[in-house]
Coordinates of all heavy atoms in Angstrom, one line a residue:
A46 N -284.7 284.3 -11.6 CA -283.5 284.8 -12.4 C -282.4 283.8 -12.2 O -282.4 283.0 -11.3 CB -283.1 286.2 -11.8
V47 N -281.4 283.9 -13.2 CA -280.3 282.9 -13.2 C -279.0 283.7 -13.0 O -278.8 284.7 -13.6 CB -280.3 282.1 -14.5 CG1 -279.1 281.2 -14.6 CG2 -281.6 281.3 -14.7
S48 N -278.1 283.1 -12.2 CA -276.8 283.6 -12.0 C -275.8 282.4 -12.0 O -276.2 281.3 -12.0 CB -276.7 284.4 -10.7 OG -275.4 285.0 -10.5
I49 N -274.5 282.8 -11.8 CA -273.4 281.8 -11.8 C -272.6 282.0 -10.6 O -272.3 283.2 -10.2 CB -272.6 281.9 -13.1 CG1 -273.4 281.5 -14.3 CG2 -271.3 281.0 -13.0 CD1 -272.7 281.8 -15.6
C50 N -272.1 280.9 -10.0 CA -271.1 281.0 -8.9 C -270.1 279.9 -9.2 O -270.3 278.7 -9.0 CB -271.6 280.9 -7.5 SG -270.4 281.0 -6.2
S51 N -268.9 280.3 -9.8 CA -267.9 279.3 -10.3 C -266.5 279.6 -9.8 O -266.2 280.8 -9.6 CB -268.0 279.3 -11.8 OG -266.9 278.5 -12.3
G52 N -265.7 278.6 -9.6 CA -264.3 278.7 -9.3 C -263.5 279.2 -10.5 O -262.3 279.6 -10.4
R53 N -264.1 279.2 -11.7 CA -263.4 279.6 -12.9 C -263.0 281.1 -12.9 O -263.6 281.9 -12.1 CB -264.2 279.3 -14.1 CG -264.4 277.8 -14.5 CD -263.2 277.3 -15.3 NE -263.4 276.0 -15.9 CZ -262.7 275.5 -16.9 NH1 -261.7 276.2 -17.3 NH2 -263.0 274.3 -17.4
S54 N -262.1 281.4 -13.7 CA -261.6 282.8 -13.7 C -262.6 283.7 -14.4 O -263.5 283.3 -15.1 CB -260.2 282.9 -14.4 OG -260.4 282.4 -15.8
Y55 N -262.4 285.0 -14.3 CA -263.3 286.0 -14.9 C -263.5 285.8 -16.4 O -264.7 285.8 -16.8 CB -262.7 287.4 -14.6 CG -263.3 288.5 -15.5 CD1 -264.6 288.9 -15.3 CD2 -262.6 289.1 -16.6 CE1 -265.2 289.9 -16.1 CE2 -263.2 290.1 -17.4 CZ -264.5 290.4 -17.1 OH -265.1 291.4 -17.9
P56 N -262.5 285.7 -17.3 CA -262.9 285.6 -18.7 C -263.8 284.4 -19.0 O -264.7 284.5 -19.8 CB -261.5 285.4 -19.4 CG -260.5 286.0 -18.4 CD -261.1 285.6 -17.1
Y57 N -263.6 283.3 -18.4 CA -264.4 282.1 -18.7 C -265.8 282.3 -18.2 O -266.8 282.0 -18.9 CB -263.8 280.9 -18.0 CG -264.4 279.5 -18.4 CD1 -263.8 278.8 -19.4 CD2 -265.5 279.1 -17.7 CE1 -264.4 277.5 -19.7 CE2 -266.1 277.8 -18.1 CZ -265.5 277.1 -19.1 OH -266.1 275.9 -19.5
V58 N -266.0 282.9 -17.0 CA -267.3 283.1 -16.4 C -268.0 284.2 -17.2 O -269.2 284.1 -17.5 CB -267.2 283.5 -15.0 CG1 -268.6 283.9 -14.4 CG2 -266.7 282.3 -14.1
E59 N -267.3 285.2 -17.7 CA -268.0 286.2 -18.5 C -268.5 285.6 -19.8 O -269.6 285.9 -20.2 CB -267.0 287.3 -18.8 CG -267.7 288.4 -19.6 CD -266.7 289.5 -20.2 OE1 -265.5 289.5 -19.7 OE2 -267.1 290.2 -21.2
A60 N -267.7 284.7 -20.4 CA -268.2 284.1 -21.7 C -269.4 283.2 -21.4 O -270.4 283.3 -22.2 CB -267.1 283.2 -22.2
V61 N -269.5 282.5 -20.3 CA -270.7 281.7 -20.1 C -271.8 282.6 -19.7 O -273.0 282.3 -20.1 CB -270.4 280.7 -18.9 CG1 -271.6 279.9 -18.6 CG2 -269.3 279.7 -19.3

Side-chain angles (χ1 to χ4, degrees):
V47 177
S48 181
I49 294 168
C50 180
S51 170
R53 288 279 194 162
S54 62
Y55 164 71
Y57 191 95
V58 174
E59 182 191 341
V61 177

